[in-house]
Amino acid sequence: RPATAARARGPIAPSRPTSARARRPVPRHRATETTTLVDSSDDAPSTSAGVTNVRVRTLRDERDIPRVATLCSAVFKETAVPLPKDLAQDDLLRDVADFLETRYESAMIRDLTGITTRNLREKRRCENQTRAEYGRTRARATARELASLQRTRTSVDQLTTAQLREMRERITDEVELELDRERRAPSADHLRRSRSRQWMQLVADAVVPGGVATGLVSMPDEYEAPAPGTREIVGSATLQVCVPDAPLPPPFPTRRPYRSYLANVAVCPEARRVGVASKIIKRAERVSRLWGFTEMWLHVNVDNPGARALYEGLGYAVVGEDPPWYLDRRYLMVRKFGSRGVVVP
């Protein structure tokens, strides 16, 4: 069964299950139009010939969430151990394996869709609350300026351009001072809104000749395949603020600081070896800088040397490892912005 929450502290995000080494063929009567299987290993042969116009953007439309969930499920799904050769042709065992894989796919797609939808809606709600609070703060400052004019029996129409400019600057300064006081001594609600706003689902889309094959045995009802020749989502990653190096998972408390954390990096086989993952990571690093962080953290599976080599090539260094009792052990990696060597926090 897929994990429904990451071990890191912060907004709810799914954990990446163990990468598969081999996978069974998808039954033709239950597969999509193309039966190319998604190989979750990053050292798989490149099949990205013809991929053009790769673009990384922020997911804003909820209609794209089923496609992102399907992509991540196809890349991250956990498959059964290959059957022995003398049993591989057994129809009963194949049906049982297909049933278990279908249940796993459905659970992962459901969890990913629900988590992404919740986080996206919570981010929008907190952004609207922040805008409304800013508007109320500015309205109070403006009201105070107008009250001072009324005490002197002065109309706004009587003010010169220079006086109007000075009044606007006073209003702006007062708003900035109040916002600065909130940042210096933030309330619990302010911290909650800040954490919810610092969540972003990055997606990469491109034109893929022949389309992208999902490789899933079961497909969600809400999934709509894009029209041939149009842009398709070929990569995805989740950027959030959490505590990835916490000694214990939530809900255990920790005094370690919140950090910028990249999770669930997934690229379909048709778009690998063309720099899609690198573009997503670099976009995440730019956003992390805008959020005020000086480093970005991520996890990589111990049995995924290809992804680890990619991250090390981008300047990331291993600074930790999951305990031996974890079933899905991962390395913890970090890169300080502006550095390319080994990083020791």
Side-chain angles (χ1 to χ4, degrees), residues 62-239:
E62 291 188 11
R63 291 175 295 181
D64 289 336
I65 293 179
R67 297 184 184 179
V68 173
T70 302
L71 169 68
C72 293
S73 177
V75 175
F76 297 157
K77 72 175 181 176
E78 195 174 43
T79 58
V81 177
L83 297 175
K85 291 184 179 181
D86 55 340
L87 300 178
Q89 303 303 323
D90 191 307
D91 293 338
L92 178 60
L93 293 178
R94 290 290 297 275
D95 290 341
V96 171
D98 292 339
F99 171 77
L100 295 176
E101 188 173 354
T102 301
R103 292 293 300 271
Y104 178 84
E105 293 172 356
S106 301
M108 176 170 281
I109 292 175
R110 182 176 62 252
D111 290 346
L112 288 170
T113 302
I115 290 168
T116 306
T117 303
R118 263 197 321 272
N119 286 338
L120 183 60
R121 291 178 179 176
E122 179 66 14
K123 178 180 180 178
R124 289 174 178 171
R125 189 175 69 86
C126 292
E127 287 177 344
N128 293 334
Q129 290 179 350
T130 302
R131 294 191 189 98
E133 181 64 27
Y134 177 82
R136 287 192 292 268
T137 302
R138 193 171 187 87
R140 289 193 296 268
T142 304
R144 283 190 287 270
E145 288 290 333
L146 294 178
S148 64
L149 291 178
Q150 290 179 355
R151 286 193 295 269
T152 60
R153 300 182 180 277
T154 304
S155 172
V156 177
D157 297 334
Q158 298 174 351
L159 299 179
T160 63
T161 302
Q163 291 174 330
L164 289 173
R165 187 181 300 110
E166 291 176 359
M167 184 172 63
R168 185 178 61 183
E169 291 176 354
R170 287 195 300 269
I171 293 174
T172 303
D173 292 342
E174 188 172 348
V175 172
E176 291 296 332
L177 286 174
E178 188 165 345
L179 294 178
D180 187 64
R181 285 194 296 268
E182 181 69 22
R183 285 192 292 266
R184 291 177 181 274
S187 61
D189 185 64
H190 177 80
L191 289 176
R192 180 189 59 81
R193 291 202 306 264
S194 299
R195 298 289 177 254
S196 297
R197 292 176 61 195
Q198 290 176 328
W199 176 92
M200 182 176 293
Q201 185 71 36
L202 297 173
V203 295
D205 53 26
V207 177
V208 183
V212 175
T214 64
L216 295 178
V217 176
S218 60
M219 293 294 295
D221 296 334
E222 60 272 17
Y223 177 83
E224 296 181 3
T230 60
R231 304 186 66 87
E232 299 188 51
I233 294 178
V234 296
S236 174
T238 303
L239 181 64

Side-chain angles (χ1 to χ4, degrees), residues 187-329:
S187 61
D189 185 64
H190 177 80
L191 289 176
R192 180 189 59 81
R193 291 202 306 264
S194 299
R195 298 289 177 254
S196 297
R197 292 176 61 195
Q198 290 176 328
W199 176 92
M200 182 176 293
Q201 185 71 36
L202 297 173
V203 295
D205 53 26
V207 177
V208 183
V212 175
T214 64
L216 295 178
V217 176
S218 60
M219 293 294 295
D221 296 334
E222 60 272 17
Y223 177 83
E224 296 181 3
T230 60
R231 304 186 66 87
E232 299 188 51
I233 294 178
V234 296
S236 174
T238 303
L239 181 64
Q240 58 186 343
V241 174
C242 60
V243 188
D245 56 336
L248 296 173
F252 295 100
T254 180
R255 293 186 177 182
R256 298 191 178 181
Y258 281 81
R259 308 181 188 276
S260 177
Y261 178 71
L262 187 67
N264 303 327
V265 181
V267 179
C268 68
E270 291 84 355
R272 290 177 183 168
R273 301 297 185 271
V274 294
V276 174
S278 299
K279 290 182 178 180
I280 293 176
I281 294 171
K282 291 178 181 178
R283 174 67 176 273
E285 291 176 350
R286 289 197 297 269
V287 174
S288 299
R289 291 191 187 96
L290 292 176
W291 286 352
F293 294 95
T294 59
E295 57 191 18
M296 191 172 76
W297 298 62
L298 53 83
H299 275 105
V300 61
N301 281 27
V302 172
D303 59 352
N304 196 343
R308 179 180 174 180
L310 168 66
Y311 298 142
E312 289 178 342
L314 294 174
Y316 289 82
V318 175
V319 294
E321 184 177 350
D322 286 338
W325 58 82
Y326 276 35
L327 297 178
D328 184 17
R329 296 183 62 195

